[in-house]
Amino acid sequence: MRLDWIGAGRTWPRARSKFQLPLFFQLRATSTATTPRLDIRTIERKRHTQWAKNEANQAPRQGSKGKAFVLPMFPYPSGTLHMGHLRVYTISDVIARFKHMQGYSVIHPMGWDAFGLPAENAAIERGVNPEKWTMENIAKMKEQLVAMGGRWNWDRELMTCDPKFYKHTQHIFLDLYERGLAYQAESMVNYDPIDQTVLANEQVDGNGHSWRSGAKVEQRKLKQWFLRITHYKEELLNDLDILETDQNWPERVVSQQKNWLGRSAGAKIGFDISGPRMKSYPVDVFTTRPDTLFGVQFLALSSSHPLVQEAAKTDSALRTFLDSIPALPHDSKAGYRLPDLHGDNPIYSLDGAPKGKNEKLPIFVAPYVLGEYGGAAVMGVPGHDSRDSAFFKENYSGEEARTVILPTQEAAEAGAVQDPHTSAGILNTNCGPFAGLPSSEATPLILNALQAAGFYAEETSTWRLRDWLISRQRYWGTPIPIIHCPNCGPVPVPRISLPVTLPPLPANPAKGNPLASASSWLHVPCPHCSTPAKRETDTMDTFVDSSWYHLRFSDPHNDHAPFSAHAAFSTLPVDLYVGGVEHAILHLLYARFMTKFLSSLLPPTSPPTPLSQQKGEPFTRLLAQGMVHGPTYRCGCTGRYLRPGELSWPSPGATIPTVAATGEAAILSWEKMSKSKHNGVDPSSVIAAHGASATRAHMLFAAPVGEVLDWDAGKIVGVQRWLAKVWRLTHLSAASSNAHSTDPPLPPLETFSDADARVWLAVQQALGSVTHAFDRSYALNTVVSTLMELTNTILEAEKGLHEGVRVQATRHLVQMMAPVTPALSEECWAVLNGGDEGESVLDAWWPELDGSLRVLGSRGGKCAVQIDGTVKFVVELPRVPDGMEEEALREWLVGRIGETEGGGKWLRERREWGRWKRVVVVKKGKVVNFVY
């Protein structure tokens, strides 16, 4: 067989595929006497047409093993699918097809996360309605999903912008509102001046920029809608233990969830702040380290603290500083000292406290203090906190950092200083009556002493998690079903009037929220008193839609409720959720909260359902796949990202191009695909060039699913060669099968030749490995490599194989390939069966181990013995013991070979035993080369 890159009558150098492949490239497997030319794309067009016809006329198979709900994160219809989409949908489709072949009733739905700012902005730029733009994108992306060979439950398809869907989002909002879990409050919020909308904390990056527009986020005080996710904080934290069981969720994702919830155990301590024109003002400070109270040297307040806001009314310099905060880097050490104010540390009022230490603590405004954490105030301990230390050095030069805790008793007694010592340790002589105590013992004694002296000191926990801000001041989102009445206040829209639909968007909408100027939509009578009132003009954050869409898939056509109890109990939870690791915090946290809330509304059952046994956790297993990176080229002089047209490939075998304008070598790196970096790859062009079968297999083979995939289309040829081998093997097996049967049975095990045993042992080992990878480990890259090895093993033993072994081995190979390469496997299956009349390989039952592993594994095998690279004799050796490492295997083989007749002749009589320079073992002992 010969593999050719062909296109428009000329041969292209392979190096071209490093960056961009012409769409008309195809892999041609040259015909032989028994093997017709392999044209994967023609095969895929044929099979996709056949599948569409069959699925339209067939009910889904009801499996005997129960349901398997495999769900990929639904896409935002931004235009077309990108390579990251292709990866996640390939993974989910492969596993869903495997579960179907195992006999499960598979639910593998697809939907569209169709609301959001990008659609609105893109529509405004193009002068079209967001709905029209979104629908056009959905149509294009559906075509791509079909082209990739996916098998989806299109009868469950949903779109979050469909009033039939968001009607129920509004019902859920009212459920939350009626239970006090949705509320409106004034708050300092993150405001995006470009998109002119509010962002949740999670949507602001570490440098203070919007995750969508990239704008520098501003702080504004607005009245906003929140969901009280903090009501579920204990459950959200504690039930992570369920998800950690058997590593059902990746450890890093569980860790990120815990960190975002951010439970910190410590204490609240009361400090008093006063000044010449202000009475004593109590400030409660949360700290995880009460043992460091003797080291407090300043108090720091957040910019939103009430004391700071009040001071800003008369302090113009403070107002200037507050205005500068949004532009500061996230690690800024900037601060503003509030003049004439000082704080008193209560610890120095205790009996036995060191004298002369109760100096007046300076009060600073510090950007690193969060307004929503621990009372918006921090006690600064520069001797024992790295961040406090850096801030103190930058803003206060009056004294050195004070050390009050040291790592050991000896260090504490000697007064040794480590700056700063941030761990627990032994309190030193600066700590009065508590000196010499370890931190763990001193902490409760300090709190008790403060309480006894009449100061506020209380053990407590604080959380990083804050209530979920869902208000967005834009058009393209789910309207919040509230009417504001001057007499009644906020009034829920009657449920019978849902959905509150969006009004038409004007052709040239003004900046900001178009709903605020949609007069006929905005002005309505109050549902309670009929007084003229106004609708709420904020729409919901799109994370609200994606927090419950998985539940809607259980009952997508229910017009009366988001889903029925019966549908939820029979379908949920999702057995496997597949999506990008970049969603490890926001989306997953919101989905967990919403599912727990909605589960609490369901009636109790006996016995408990899987959803209740899992305490309302939505996703039993999570598969977080890594991003897809593309080759990115930059100019060495300027660092500018280069377009494909700015590159020159000096030779066909070149791996690094040059900058066409200068001739210098371009700098290659692998980075997340984006338009700005000119490294995006269109999945449609890849599939058009190589076929879906090769693209899917390469997507899995190129990297473990949890790691970053560096997409290099030039390497796909390895997978293409493998598929060509499978095609050849299929036709060889079909040609050699019994004229009376396309499915000849295996011969009895005891009659197996060595070749038969070797091949069937490889089949059984591959079956065990592939099944485990599909079912538990999700090491899908090893699936492809294992099937490649199996293909080679069958082909290498081709001439000595029993007909039944060859055919059954090939059939097993094709069945194991089917989830990965469905169209090509379907065609190979038809070849093996003599036509399409039989059952599809995609509906065939997954093969099971037949118990022959132990029998065949105990057999030995032939070993070709070489001397200086030339085969001198072949011997039959017993089976190599399991788990033998390289050196031990070498010694074992040498010993066994030396005991044979050939070994005596060639290694003892004609050579001096043991005088070889080295012994090379190939293929675990199939070949052993003695080098003299």
Side-chain angles (χ1 to χ4, degrees):
M1 178 170 296
R2 187 178 76 247
L3 305 179
D4 297 328
W5 291 101
I6 63 171
R10 61 180 289 191
T11 300
W12 291 81
R14 181 174 176 271
R16 282 291 297 268
S17 66
K18 284 283 182 184
F19 199 86
Q20 187 178 20
L21 289 170
L23 301 185
F24 48 82
F25 275 14
Q26 67 176 0
L27 177 70
R28 181 179 69 190
T30 307
S31 302
T32 67
T34 57
T35 308
R37 184 173 69 91
L38 173 59
D39 187 343
I40 290 182
R41 290 176 298 175
T42 298
I43 289 171
E44 288 174 348
R45 284 193 295 269
K46 166 188 170 183
R47 292 299 169 183
H48 291 177
T49 301
Q50 184 185 62
W51 295 343
K53 179 180 177 181
N54 292 345
E55 290 176 5
N57 298 313
Q58 292 179 4
R61 183 171 77 180
Q62 296 301 310
S64 60
K65 293 187 176 181
K67 65 91 181 176
F69 191 171
V70 179
L71 180 62
M73 294 180 184
F74 66 169
Y76 176 75
S78 57
T80 57
L81 296 178
H82 54 63
M83 294 301 286
H85 288 132
L86 183 62
R87 190 179 194 191
V88 66
Y89 300 134
T90 296
I91 292 168
S92 76
D93 186 60
V94 164
I95 296 172
R97 289 182 179 277
F98 164 73
K99 301 303 288 187
H100 175 79
M101 294 177 72
Q102 275 194 314
Y104 289 90
S105 296
V106 173
I107 302 170
H108 187 224
M110 179 53 66
W112 310 96
D113 191 8
F115 273 140
L117 277 175
E120 182 175 345
N121 290 341
I124 291 173
E125 290 172 6
R126 293 163 175 78
V128 299
N129 189 281
E131 181 178 6
K132 180 177 184 293
W133 188 80
T134 299
M135 293 302 131
E136 289 174 350
N137 291 340
I138 288 174
K140 289 184 286 188
M141 294 170 83
K142 284 183 75 170
E143 288 181 5
Q144 289 180 289
L145 288 171
V146 171
M148 66 163 281
R151 187 177 197 169
W152 312 96
N153 293 111
W154 289 114
D155 59 321
R156 296 178 185 261
E157 182 183 13
L158 58 81
M159 295 177 287
T160 59
C161 66
D162 184 346
K164 293 179 181 178
F165 179 90
Y166 70 72
K167 164 186 175 179
H168 298 295
T169 306
Q170 292 171 343
H171 273 292
I172 291 170
F173 177 89
L174 295 182
D175 287 335
L176 290 158
Y177 183 78
E178 290 166 1
R179 290 161 178 81
L181 297 176
Y183 65 94
Q184 196 176 28
E186 278 200 343
S187 173
M188 292 295 292
V189 296
N190 304 308
Y191 190 80
D192 184 327
I194 292 181
D195 283 336
Q196 297 190 1
T197 190
V198 169
L199 303 174
N201 289 339
E202 301 91 326
Q203 295 168 324
V204 181
D205 68 19
N207 294 313
H209 293 270
S210 166
W211 75 319
R212 284 289 191 192
S213 71
K216 190 68 178 179
V217 172
E218 301 173 358
Q219 295 291 305
R220 295 191 183 182
K221 195 166 189 176
L222 297 174
K223 205 167 188 179
Q224 303 289 293
W225 284 96
F226 295 84
L227 299 185
R228 208 179 300 274
I229 190 174
T230 54
H231 186 73
Y232 281 80
K233 60 181 182 289
E234 295 282 357
E235 294 167 69
L236 290 169
L237 178 63
N238 295 337
D239 293 347
L240 287 171
D241 292 343
I242 298 172
L243 305 178
E244 284 183 297
T245 303
D246 297 328
Q247 297 182 324
N248 282 337
W249 277 39
E251 182 180 351
R252 59 176 171 167
V253 175
V254 172
S255 177
Q256 287 174 297
Q257 291 270 303
K258 288 180 179 178
N259 291 338
W260 192 258
L261 292 166
R263 181 180 181 178
S264 300
K268 279 189 176 180
I269 311 293
F271 288 77
D272 284 333
I273 296 178
S274 58
R277 293 181 299 277
M278 186 183 76
K279 295 180 180 179
S280 179
Y281 186 100
V283 172
D284 294 340
V285 174
F286 174 81
T287 177
T288 60
R289 296 291 306 278
D291 56 323
T292 64
L293 267 169
F294 285 98
V296 176
Q297 293 179 269
F298 68 92
L299 294 179
L301 306 178
S302 77
S303 60
S304 61
H305 193 283
L307 187 59
V308 175
Q309 293 296 307
E310 183 65 26
K313 294 178 181 179
T314 58
D315 188 337
S316 60
L318 173 57
R319 290 197 299 271
T320 300
F321 176 74
L322 295 177
D323 291 340
S324 72
I325 288 177
L328 296 175
H330 71 284
D331 59 350
S332 172
K333 304 176 186 65
Y336 180 87
R337 184 173 181 178
L338 294 176
D340 301 325
L341 296 184
H342 64 265
D344 294 315
N345 187 344
I347 196 71
Y348 286 107
S349 298
L350 299 181
D351 291 339
K355 303 302 180 183
K357 296 290 186 181
N358 191 19
E359 75 280 7
K360 302 304 183 182
L361 299 174
I363 312 298
F364 289 94
V365 182
Y368 76 84
V369 181
L370 303 178
E372 62 274 11
Y373 182 85
V378 164
M379 62 182 211
V381 188
H384 300 287
D385 184 278
S386 298
R387 186 177 54 182
D388 292 347
S389 176
F391 181 86
F392 192 65
K393 290 176 181 178
E394 182 78 15
N395 294 279
Y396 195 65
S397 57
E399 60 183 282
E400 296 295 322
R402 185 185 309 146
T403 300
V404 297
I405 294 177
L406 290 168
T408 64
Q409 183 69 43
E410 293 75 14
E413 292 173 355
V417 175
Q418 295 183 14
D419 185 25
H421 173 66
T422 58
S423 302
I426 306 297
L427 277 66
N428 69 9
T429 54
N430 287 328
C431 301
F434 307 100
L437 294 176
S439 295
S440 58
E441 294 181 20
T443 294
L445 294 177
I446 289 172
L447 296 178
N448 290 338
L450 288 171
Q451 291 169 356
F455 295 102
Y456 175 63
E458 179 185 20
E459 283 190 271
T460 187
S461 294
T462 192
W463 298 71
R464 181 185 179 191
L465 179 69
R466 290 294 170 263
D467 282 340
W468 177 7
L469 170 62
I470 65 164
S471 284
R472 296 295 179 269
Q473 293 70 42
R474 294 303 293 255
Y475 168 83
W476 193 234
T478 298
I480 295 176
I482 294 290
I483 294 171
H484 295 282
C485 173
N487 297 330
C488 307
V491 179
V493 173
R495 290 180 184 262
I496 196 171
S497 300
L498 298 181
V500 176
T501 57
L502 292 166
L505 185 68
N508 296 299
K511 279 283 188 180
N513 187 356
L515 295 179
S517 57
S519 180
S520 60
W521 177 88
L522 178 65
H523 296 282
V524 293
C526 171
H528 285 176
C529 68
S530 299
T531 298
K534 291 183 179 181
R535 293 190 188 277
E536 173 60 62
T537 58
D538 285 357
T539 54
M540 297 187 212
D541 179 15
T542 55
F543 275 119
V544 178
D545 305 319
S546 60
S547 72
W548 79 276
Y549 81 108
H550 55 284
L551 301 165
R552 183 63 176 173
F553 279 131
S554 70
D555 201 6
H557 306 297
N558 189 334
D559 189 49
H560 305 291
F563 51 89
S564 69
H566 172 74
F569 293 150
S570 61
T571 306
L572 301 166
V574 174
D575 296 291
L576 178 65
Y577 197 36
V578 186
V581 72
E582 65 270 24
H583 302 293
I585 298 176
L586 305 182
H587 163 60
L588 292 175
L589 187 66
Y590 295 151
R592 294 179 61 221
F593 157 64
M594 192 65 77
T595 308
K596 287 179 180 295
F597 166 69
L598 293 173
S599 298
S600 73
L601 307 184
L602 297 173
T605 61
S606 182
T609 66
L611 185 60
S612 59
Q613 288 176 330
Q614 201 163 290
K615 296 185 178 181
E617 287 293 339
F619 313 119
T620 302
R621 296 203 69 186
L622 175 69
L623 180 53
Q625 99 281 350
M627 292 184 179
V628 179
H629 287 185
T632 310
Y633 299 96
R634 288 182 292 114
C635 176
C637 296
T638 64
R640 183 175 61 85
Y641 290 105
L642 300 170
R643 301 175 185 274
E646 297 177 289
L647 299 170
S648 175
W649 296 88
S651 64
T655 57
I656 301 294
T658 59
V659 182
T662 65
E664 66 172 321
I667 298 174
L668 168 66
S669 61
W670 295 89
E671 301 181 28
K672 181 181 177 181
M673 292 183 179
S674 71
K675 293 179 181 178
S676 63
K677 296 174 182 176
H678 314 301
N679 66 344
V681 176
D682 178 11
S684 297
S685 65
V686 176
I687 291 172
H690 307 292
S693 295
T695 302
R696 288 164 61 108
H698 182 63
M699 182 69 73
L700 298 180
F701 178 62
V705 295
E707 297 181 8
V708 169
L709 188 161
D710 291 336
W711 180 261
D712 184 352
K715 295 181 179 178
I716 202 170
V717 67
V719 167
Q720 293 173 312
R721 291 192 182 103
W722 166 54
L723 297 181
K725 288 180 181 179
V726 173
W727 183 246
R728 175 189 168 209
L729 175 60
T730 298
H731 285 273
L732 288 172
S733 297
S736 68
S737 61
N738 191 301
H740 302 292
S741 173
T742 59
D743 190 12
L746 289 172
L749 286 180
E750 59 271 18
T751 68
F752 270 29
S753 68
D754 289 342
D756 294 337
R758 187 163 56 253
V759 166
W760 196 248
L761 179 62
V763 169
Q764 294 295 296
Q765 289 172 333
L767 178 57
S769 173
V770 169
T771 301
H772 180 72
F774 278 147
D775 206 31
R776 288 303 305 173
S777 70
Y778 302 130
L780 303 185
N781 58 316
T782 68
V783 168
V784 178
S785 61
T786 296
L787 296 178
M788 287 177 171
E789 291 177 10
L790 178 59
T791 304
N792 290 335
T793 298
I794 301 172
L795 283 171
E796 287 170 3
E798 177 186 322
K799 295 182 180 179
L801 282 181
H802 183 280
E803 171 192 280
V805 173
R806 178 188 295 109
V807 173
Q808 293 303 323
T810 305
R811 293 177 74 88
H812 276 61
L813 170 64
V814 172
Q815 283 178 280
M816 286 186 276
M817 289 175 55
V820 179
T821 58
L824 180 60
S825 298
E826 186 92 288
E827 189 72 14
C828 290
W829 195 250
V831 171
L832 291 170
N833 288 333
D836 280 326
E837 290 73 24
E839 182 182 43
S840 165
V841 69
L842 306 177
D843 293 326
W845 289 96
W846 186 257
E848 296 184 355
L849 295 173
D850 63 5
S852 63
L853 265 174
R854 179 173 297 180
V855 176
L856 297 176
S858 64
R859 291 178 56 146
K862 291 182 179 179
C863 171
V865 181
Q866 298 178 341
I867 294 179
D868 292 333
T870 302
V871 176
K872 298 300 183 182
F873 60 98
V874 177
V875 294
E876 190 80 28
L877 296 180
R879 179 175 174 270
V880 176
D882 293 332
M884 192 167 279
E885 298 296 333
E886 182 178 352
E887 186 59 36
L889 173 62
R890 184 181 294 107
E891 292 179 5
W892 185 88
L893 288 168
V894 169
R896 300 292 83 74
I897 292 170
E899 296 169 357
T900 66
E901 181 180 347
K905 175 182 176 181
W906 288 97
L907 299 173
R908 295 185 186 275
E909 296 175 9
R910 300 193 178 186
R911 302 272 181 170
E912 184 176 350
W913 176 261
R915 298 291 292 179
W916 49 78
K917 295 178 182 178
R918 64 182 183 276
V919 178
V920 180
V921 177
V922 182
K923 294 185 177 181
K924 297 181 179 180
K926 292 183 179 180
V927 177
V928 178
N929 182 22
F930 291 84
V931 181
Y932 282 88

